[in-house]
């Protein structure tokens, strides 16, 4: 089968696309790559939340699929909105990399070592919220651009530290380029560390892609995405949520945090849910049920109102 992949041109996006391309070719498929620029790649002088957080890195790729110029797109799942245009769907969620955030610095070995007033770069309101909740003295500045341009700014001394996802660090081997990389205790974004394959809703194509799914990752990310969806939160909303199976594999442990971007008001919680789904259809529905149930506890504590205030402050 011939499969056309729409992708962004960044080094990380191309790594992700080449990874999926190789897996498809190992199954005998012919694969073509269509490189594109998205709105999130073009507008680099404005924080993501101010130019429309939802779909900034996916819309152009989705248009290519809807216009029959591509069949699938490979995304970092944390960048994928919880709703899809008619005719498209989330066809596969691959096994996850390290889901943590990490602090990168040329001079400081951890968050605790950063001096008062240290300048930290990140594109994420979620990361900003959690950093400032831990260290209100930090100066958190929006840092846009591809991974290489962010690293260059760090090396040039424009920032004392920057925050990136460990998944991207591992995939690109960035430990070779930065003196200090220290994992953070922040709660990750929904879907962080997983590759999501969005596809045209075509039965033959979906059957061809099904082998890419990792059941554990499907469950964990479905919980996380259902949680965010229930709160009407977008990819750039100040929400962290992490779902992980316990060692026995019988329960899913979910942690979440949300609040104002300056870290002055934050809601946190952690809960354990039994997971006893017996068939493939039950697996997805039970995961979604867990995400919604956990979100309901936050709604009762005023989460939607708090997120509305956060959105208004960053409009």
């Amino acid at each position: 089968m011939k499969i056309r992949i729409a992708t962004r041109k960044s080094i990380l996006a191309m790594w992700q696309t080449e990874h999926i391309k190789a897996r498809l070719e190992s199954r005998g498929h012919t694969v073509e790559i269509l490189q594109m620029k998205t709105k999130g790649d073009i507008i680099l002088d404005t924080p993501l939340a101010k130019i429309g957080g939802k779909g900034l890195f996916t819309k152009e790729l989705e248009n290519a699929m809807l216009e029959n110029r591509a069949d699938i797109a490979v995304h970092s799942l944390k960048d994928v909105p919880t709703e899809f245009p008619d005719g498209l769907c989330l066809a596969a969620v691959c096994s996850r990399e390290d889901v943590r955030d990490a602090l990168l610095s040329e001079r400081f070995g951890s968050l605790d070592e950063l001096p008062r007033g240290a300048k930290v770069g990140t594109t994420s309101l979620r990361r900003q919220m959690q950093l400032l909740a831990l260290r209100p003295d930090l100066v958190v500045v929006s840092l846009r651009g591809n991974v290489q341009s962010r690293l260059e700014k760090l090396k040039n001394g424009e920032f004392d530290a920057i925050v990136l996802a460990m998944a991207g660090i591992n995939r690109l081997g960035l430990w070779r380029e930065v003196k200090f990389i220290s994992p953070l205790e922040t709660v990750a974004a929904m879907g962080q560390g997983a590759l999501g394959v969005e596809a045209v809703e075509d039965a033959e194509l979906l059957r061809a892609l099904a082998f890419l799914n990792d059941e554990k990752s499907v469950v964990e990310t479905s919980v996380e995405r259902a949680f965010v969806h229930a709160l009407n939160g977008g990819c750039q909303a100040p929400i962290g949520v992490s779902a992980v199976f316990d060692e026995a594999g019988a329960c899913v442990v979910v942690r979440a945090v949300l609040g104002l971007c300056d870290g002055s008001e934050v809601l946190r919680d952690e809960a354990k849910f039994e997971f006893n789904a017996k068939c493939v259809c039950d697996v997805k529905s039970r995961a979604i049920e867990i995400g919604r149930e956990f979100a309901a506890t936050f709604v009762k504590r005023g989460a939607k109102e708090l997120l509305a205030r956060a959105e208004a402050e960053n409009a």
Side-chain angles (χ1 to χ4, degrees):
M1 184 177 185
K2 180 180 176 181
I3 300 176
R4 299 164 298 172
I5 306 178
T7 181
R8 297 163 58 206
K9 295 181 179 181
S10 73
I11 291 178
L12 183 56
M14 287 304 301
W15 183 98
Q16 294 170 170
T17 297
E18 291 290 351
H19 174 72
I20 296 301
K21 177 177 182 284
R23 294 193 65 186
L24 290 170
E25 288 176 338
S26 73
R27 293 292 183 109
H29 301 291
T30 301
V31 181
E32 292 183 0
I33 294 176
L34 173 65
Q35 294 187 6
M36 306 179 67
K37 278 192 173 183
T38 67
K39 184 177 181 181
D41 297 310
I42 296 169
I43 304 175
L44 298 176
D45 58 353
T46 307
L48 292 174
K50 293 186 181 295
I51 55 175
K54 294 184 179 180
L56 283 170
F57 297 108
T58 60
K59 186 175 181 181
E60 286 81 1
L61 308 184
E62 289 175 337
N63 287 341
M65 289 184 282
L66 293 170
E67 294 166 2
N68 195 30
R69 291 181 285 125
D71 304 299
I72 71 173
V74 182
H75 307 293
S76 293
L77 191 56
K78 67 182 178 65
D79 296 328
V80 180
T82 58
E83 295 180 324
F84 295 91
D86 290 343
L88 302 178
C89 65
L90 183 60
V93 177
C94 306
S95 59
R96 285 178 118 167
E97 245 286 359
D98 192 328
V99 303
R100 296 174 296 176
D101 292 323
L103 190 78
L104 290 74
S105 179
E106 290 295 305
R107 294 186 292 159
F108 306 104
S110 69
L111 183 64
D112 290 340
E113 289 184 20
L114 290 177
R116 289 187 61 82
K119 188 176 179 181
V120 180
T122 176
T123 62
S124 165
L125 297 180
R126 170 190 61 83
R127 289 169 177 158
Q128 175 181 319
M129 169 191 65
Q130 295 184 79
L131 286 171
L132 291 176
L134 292 167
R135 290 281 307 272
D137 61 287
L138 297 177
V139 178
V140 180
V141 180
S142 178
L143 174 62
R144 298 290 315 284
N146 60 37
V147 171
Q148 283 64 38
S149 66
R150 297 184 205 183
L151 288 177
E152 184 176 349
K153 290 178 180 179
L154 175 65
K155 290 177 179 293
N156 288 342
E158 296 180 43
F159 294 88
D160 295 299
I162 63 174
V163 182
L164 298 176
M166 278 298 303
I169 292 169
N170 291 340
R171 286 168 178 152
L172 297 179
L174 298 183
W175 59 84
R176 305 184 191 96
E177 300 186 39
V178 182
K179 188 171 182 180
F180 296 110
I181 297 178
S182 55
L184 294 170
E185 295 301 318
T186 48
V187 181
M190 66 172 184
Q192 187 159 313
L195 299 185
V197 180
E198 187 177 4
V200 175
E201 287 187 321
D202 173 85
E204 183 182 4
L205 176 62
L206 297 181
R207 284 194 296 271
L209 299 172
F211 80 98
L212 294 169
N213 276 301
D214 175 82
E215 185 173 308
K216 179 174 177 286
S217 297
V218 168
V219 170
E220 293 174 351
T221 60
S222 294
V223 171
E224 295 163 4
R225 289 171 63 79
F227 177 86
V228 173
H229 184 72
L231 293 171
N232 297 322
C235 303
Q236 293 301 316
I239 303 175
V241 56
S242 174
V244 181
F245 274 103
D246 65 3
E247 291 184 4
C251 294
V252 176
V253 179
V254 193
R255 292 190 303 146
V257 59
L258 59 87
L260 299 184
C261 300
D262 64 3
S264 61
E265 290 187 51
V266 173
L267 295 179
R268 302 177 184 272
D269 204 357
E270 179 176 322
K272 181 180 285 191
F273 298 86
E274 289 187 3
F275 193 88
N276 54 3
K278 296 178 180 178
C279 68
V280 174
C281 56
D282 287 342
V283 165
K284 191 72 175 285
S285 61
R286 175 56 180 152
I288 292 171
E289 180 183 45
I290 289 171
R292 289 172 176 168
E293 184 178 337
F294 193 44
T297 67
F298 277 78
V299 171
K300 289 178 181 178
R301 296 169 61 191
K304 287 189 175 181
E305 293 78 8
L306 192 57
L307 288 171
R309 287 170 57 198
E311 183 177 356
E313 288 178 1
N314 285 277

